[in-house]
């Protein structure tokens, strides 16, 4: 449950930072700053999916050890 709160908080902070960077890009008419904000957000989403996949695989590790013990 704690991991869910931390992940939600991390997503909220990252979203706010990306919105602020994107807004600064709009204010300064800088397409590069806007692109950086979008790439940052997309990289965060990809990392989030990767963390979730890794966590799911780690949780299953004990099940595999029980089913297939070392000889």
């Amino acid at each position: 449950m704690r991991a869910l709160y931390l992940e939600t908080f991390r997503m909220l902070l990252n979203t706010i930072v990306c919105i602020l960077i994107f807004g600064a890009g709009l204010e300064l008419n800088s397409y590069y700053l806007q692109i950086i904000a979008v790439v940052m957000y997309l990289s965060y989403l990809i990392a989030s999916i990767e963390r979730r996949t890794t966590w799911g695989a780690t949780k299953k590790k004990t099940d595999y050890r029980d089913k297939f013990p070392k000889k």
Side-chain angles (χ1 to χ4, degrees):
M1 194 63 149
R2 186 175 137 223
L4 179 65
Y5 290 134
L6 289 175
E7 189 66 31
T8 304
F9 185 66
R10 183 185 295 159
M11 184 167 199
L12 178 68
L13 284 177
N14 190 29
T15 302
I16 289 171
V17 168
C18 288
I19 288 172
L20 289 174
I21 292 173
F22 190 82
L26 288 175
E27 186 73 25
L28 298 172
N29 292 325
S30 171
Y31 294 115
Y32 294 118
L33 215 52
Q34 294 172 14
I35 291 170
I36 288 170
V38 170
V39 169
M40 279 177 57
Y41 193 72
L42 290 176
S43 68
Y44 170 75
L45 290 178
I46 291 169
S48 175
I49 291 168
E50 183 180 336
R51 270 193 302 276
R52 195 170 301 130
T53 302
T54 303
W55 176 249
T58 304
K59 285 173 54 176
K60 291 178 183 176
K61 191 174 184 180
T62 55
D63 294 340
Y64 293 132
R65 285 183 180 164
D66 293 340
K67 288 180 184 176
F68 307 107
K70 290 184 179 179
K71 294 180 182 181

